Amino acid sequence: MYQYLSQHPQVARARDKEICTIQTEDYYIPKYYWSKFPNISNAQSQVTGEACPGYMLYPWSASRTKQLVPNAKLILLLRDPVLRAFSQFQMFRRTKAGKNSSFKFDSFESLLNYSLPHIEEIKKGLDKCRELNLPNSQCETWNSNWYWTDIVLTSMYSYQLRHWFDEFPREQIHIIQSERFEEDP
Protein backbone atom coordinates (compact mmCIF):
# COMPACT_ATOMS: atom_id res chain seq x y z
CA MET A 1 0.00 0.00 0.00
CA TYR A 2 2.72 2.48 1.01
CA GLN A 3 4.66 1.75 -2.18
CA TYR A 4 1.59 2.31 -4.34
CA LEU A 5 0.68 5.56 -2.64
CA SER A 6 4.26 6.80 -2.83
CA GLN A 7 4.16 6.56 -6.63
CA HIS A 8 1.55 9.31 -6.83
CA PRO A 9 3.07 12.73 -7.68
CA GLN A 10 1.19 14.43 -4.84
CA VAL A 11 2.52 12.05 -2.19
CA ALA A 12 5.88 12.88 -0.63
CA ARG A 13 7.54 9.89 1.03
CA ALA A 14 8.55 10.04 4.66
CA ARG A 15 12.22 9.36 5.41
CA ASP A 16 11.26 5.92 6.74
CA LYS A 17 8.21 3.85 5.87
CA GLU A 18 7.58 2.78 9.48
CA ILE A 19 8.42 5.69 11.75
CA CYS A 20 6.27 4.21 14.52
CA THR A 21 7.10 6.77 17.19
CA ILE A 22 3.56 7.60 18.29
CA GLN A 23 3.32 4.27 20.12
CA THR A 24 6.65 4.82 21.92
CA GLU A 25 8.26 7.30 24.23
CA ASP A 26 9.59 9.15 21.17
CA TYR A 27 6.09 10.55 20.81
CA TYR A 28 6.92 13.00 23.56
CA ILE A 29 9.26 14.73 21.15
CA PRO A 30 6.93 15.89 18.36
CA LYS A 31 9.84 17.76 16.74
CA TYR A 32 11.62 14.42 16.32
CA TYR A 33 8.50 12.88 14.81
CA TRP A 34 8.02 15.71 12.31
CA SER A 35 11.71 15.61 11.37
CA LYS A 36 11.02 12.26 9.70
CA PHE A 37 8.76 13.85 7.10
CA PRO A 38 9.54 16.10 4.15
CA ASN A 39 8.81 19.79 4.57
CA ILE A 40 5.60 20.38 2.62
CA SER A 41 3.90 23.72 2.22
CA ASN A 42 0.19 24.04 1.54
CA ALA A 43 1.03 25.58 -1.82
CA GLN A 44 2.63 22.33 -2.98
CA SER A 45 -0.64 20.37 -2.77
CA GLN A 46 1.21 17.35 -1.47
CA VAL A 47 0.59 14.95 1.38
CA THR A 48 2.86 12.63 3.30
CA GLY A 49 2.47 9.86 5.80
CA GLU A 50 3.82 6.68 7.28
CA ALA A 51 2.86 3.04 7.67
CA CYS A 52 2.97 1.50 11.12
CA PRO A 53 1.07 -1.69 11.95
CA GLY A 54 1.74 -1.23 15.66
CA TYR A 55 -0.44 1.85 15.90
CA MET A 56 -3.53 -0.32 15.60
CA LEU A 57 -2.75 -2.38 18.66
CA TYR A 58 -1.81 0.33 21.13
CA PRO A 59 -4.93 2.21 22.26
CA TRP A 60 -3.05 5.42 23.03
CA SER A 61 -1.83 5.70 19.43
CA ALA A 62 -5.23 7.00 18.28
CA SER A 63 -5.36 9.92 20.72
CA ARG A 64 -1.71 10.79 20.14
CA THR A 65 -2.25 10.73 16.39
CA LYS A 66 -5.26 13.01 16.84
CA GLN A 67 -3.12 15.45 18.85
CA LEU A 68 -0.35 15.54 16.25
CA VAL A 69 -2.36 15.24 13.04
CA PRO A 70 -6.05 16.02 13.70
CA ASN A 71 -6.96 16.10 10.00
CA ALA A 72 -5.13 12.88 9.10
CA LYS A 73 -6.63 10.61 6.50
CA LEU A 74 -6.15 7.10 7.82
CA ILE A 75 -5.97 4.04 5.60
CA LEU A 76 -6.23 0.72 7.39
CA LEU A 77 -5.29 -2.41 5.51
CA LEU A 78 -6.73 -5.34 7.46
CA ARG A 79 -6.02 -8.99 6.79
CA ASP A 80 -8.44 -11.83 7.51
CA PRO A 81 -8.11 -11.97 11.33
CA VAL A 82 -7.75 -15.74 11.62
CA LEU A 83 -5.19 -15.95 8.83
CA ARG A 84 -3.27 -13.04 10.36
CA ALA A 85 -3.10 -14.68 13.80
CA PHE A 86 -2.15 -18.05 12.35
CA SER A 87 0.58 -16.46 10.24
CA GLN A 88 2.04 -14.72 13.31
CA PHE A 89 1.86 -18.00 15.22
CA GLN A 90 3.79 -19.76 12.45
CA MET A 91 6.39 -16.99 12.37
CA PHE A 92 6.89 -17.26 16.15
CA ARG A 93 7.27 -21.02 15.86
CA ARG A 94 9.96 -20.61 13.20
CA THR A 95 11.86 -17.77 14.84
CA LYS A 96 11.40 -18.38 18.56
CA ALA A 97 10.80 -22.09 19.13
CA GLY A 98 14.20 -23.19 17.89
CA LYS A 99 16.13 -20.53 19.76
CA ASN A 100 15.70 -21.62 23.36
CA SER A 101 12.94 -19.08 23.92
CA SER A 102 9.87 -19.27 26.08
CA PHE A 103 7.64 -20.16 23.12
CA LYS A 104 5.66 -23.08 24.49
CA PHE A 105 2.89 -23.79 22.03
CA ASP A 106 3.01 -26.83 19.79
CA SER A 107 -0.23 -25.94 17.99
CA PHE A 108 -2.33 -22.91 17.14
CA GLU A 109 -5.13 -24.44 19.20
CA SER A 110 -2.90 -24.58 22.28
CA LEU A 111 -2.07 -20.89 21.82
CA LEU A 112 -5.77 -20.01 21.57
CA ASN A 113 -6.58 -22.07 24.67
CA TYR A 114 -3.86 -20.22 26.57
CA SER A 115 -4.65 -16.73 25.23
CA LEU A 116 -8.42 -16.45 25.32
CA PRO A 117 -8.78 -16.48 29.14
CA HIS A 118 -6.33 -13.54 29.37
CA ILE A 119 -7.80 -11.30 26.67
CA GLU A 120 -10.15 -9.27 28.89
CA GLU A 121 -7.41 -8.70 31.49
CA ILE A 122 -5.02 -7.47 28.80
CA LYS A 123 -7.65 -5.21 27.20
CA LYS A 124 -8.40 -3.63 30.59
CA GLY A 125 -4.71 -2.94 31.09
CA LEU A 126 -4.38 -1.42 27.64
CA ASP A 127 -7.48 0.73 28.19
CA LYS A 128 -6.00 1.99 31.47
CA CYS A 129 -2.80 2.91 29.63
CA ARG A 130 -4.85 4.81 27.07
CA GLU A 131 -6.82 6.61 29.77
CA LEU A 132 -3.59 7.69 31.48
CA ASN A 133 -1.82 8.31 28.14
CA LEU A 134 1.12 6.19 29.24
CA PRO A 135 3.87 5.02 26.91
CA ASN A 136 4.09 1.27 26.46
CA SER A 137 7.17 0.92 28.71
CA GLN A 138 5.10 2.13 31.68
CA CYS A 139 2.11 -0.13 31.14
CA GLU A 140 1.55 -2.96 33.57
CA THR A 141 0.20 -5.24 30.85
CA TRP A 142 3.67 -6.23 29.66
CA ASN A 143 3.90 -9.63 31.23
CA SER A 144 4.17 -13.18 29.98
CA ASN A 145 0.42 -13.32 29.34
CA TRP A 146 0.59 -10.22 27.17
CA TYR A 147 3.42 -11.43 25.01
CA TRP A 148 1.64 -14.53 23.74
CA THR A 149 -1.91 -13.17 23.96
CA ASP A 150 -0.82 -10.44 21.55
CA ILE A 151 -1.04 -12.94 18.69
CA VAL A 152 -4.79 -13.22 19.27
CA LEU A 153 -5.49 -9.66 20.44
CA THR A 154 -3.88 -8.18 17.35
CA SER A 155 -6.57 -9.87 15.25
CA MET A 156 -9.42 -8.46 17.34
CA TYR A 157 -10.06 -5.52 15.04
CA SER A 158 -13.27 -4.35 16.70
CA TYR A 159 -11.38 -3.65 19.93
CA GLN A 160 -8.63 -1.79 18.11
CA LEU A 161 -10.88 0.20 15.78
CA ARG A 162 -13.00 1.43 18.67
CA HIS A 163 -10.14 3.67 19.81
CA TRP A 164 -9.68 5.16 16.36
CA PHE A 165 -13.40 5.82 15.88
CA ASP A 166 -13.44 7.51 19.30
CA GLU A 167 -10.86 10.00 18.02
CA PHE A 168 -11.55 10.42 14.31
CA PRO A 169 -14.76 10.82 12.31
CA ARG A 170 -15.60 7.93 10.03
CA GLU A 171 -14.89 10.11 6.97
CA GLN A 172 -11.20 10.20 7.90
CA ILE A 173 -10.83 6.41 8.15
CA HIS A 174 -10.76 4.17 5.10
CA ILE A 175 -10.66 0.40 5.70
CA ILE A 176 -9.48 -2.00 3.02
CA GLN A 177 -9.43 -5.79 3.20
CA SER A 178 -5.90 -6.84 2.32
CA GLU A 179 -7.08 -9.88 0.36
CA ARG A 180 -9.15 -7.63 -1.93
CA PHE A 181 -6.28 -5.18 -2.25
CA GLU A 182 -3.91 -7.97 -3.30
CA GLU A 183 -6.37 -9.05 -6.01
CA ASP A 184 -6.93 -5.51 -7.31
CA PRO A 185 -4.50 -2.85 -6.05
Side-chain angles (χ1 to χ4, degrees), residues 27-180:
Y27 158 78
Y28 293 108
I29 310 170
K31 189 174 183 178
Y32 169 78
Y33 178 76
W34 288 116
S35 74
K36 300 291 185 176
F37 295 97
N39 189 6
I40 296 175
S41 70
N42 289 338
Q44 291 176 302
S45 298
Q46 284 191 309
V47 296
T48 189
E50 67 167 312
C52 184
Y55 289 167
M56 276 287 292
L57 182 59
Y58 302 103
W60 50 88
S61 295
S63 59
R64 291 175 179 178
T65 300
K66 180 73 172 187
Q67 290 171 1
L68 283 174
V69 196
N71 296 320
K73 302 292 186 204
L74 306 168
I75 301 172
L76 307 175
L77 189 62
L78 303 179
R79 185 175 180 189
D80 175 284
V82 175
L83 294 176
R84 195 222 61 77
F86 186 66
S87 175
Q88 186 178 359
F89 167 77
Q90 290 179 311
M91 181 197 68
F92 274 23
R93 279 183 70 178
R94 280 191 313 274
T95 60
K96 309 238 185 265
K99 297 183 178 162
N100 195 22
S101 77
S102 61
F103 191 80
K104 55 189 171 193
F105 307 103
D106 58 355
S107 70
F108 188 55
E109 182 180 3
S110 65
L111 171 73
L112 292 175
N113 289 336
Y114 173 83
S115 299
L116 293 176
H118 300 289
I119 292 289
E120 290 306 314
E121 168 195 353
I122 300 300
K123 285 172 29 179
K124 285 179 187 174
L126 286 169
D127 287 343
K128 187 67 171 174
C129 287
R130 177 185 183 214
E131 179 185 319
L132 299 174
N133 200 27
L134 295 175
N136 52 7
S137 65
Q138 294 178 21
C139 290
E140 296 178 16
T141 58
W142 311 126
N143 57 44
S144 60
N145 292 338
W146 162 257
Y147 191 68
W148 302 120
T149 304
D150 166 58
I151 294 174
V152 176
L153 186 60
T154 304
S155 286
M156 299 180 79
Y157 299 139
S158 62
Y159 168 74
Q160 297 171 50
L161 289 171
R162 176 176 56 111
H163 305 295
W164 292 90
F165 287 127
D166 285 349
E167 299 293 337
F168 290 93
R170 180 66 177 96
E171 301 79 42
Q172 287 180 237
I173 300 174
H174 184 66
I175 299 172
I176 302 170
Q177 291 178 318
S178 64
E179 293 81 7
R180 285 189 180 167

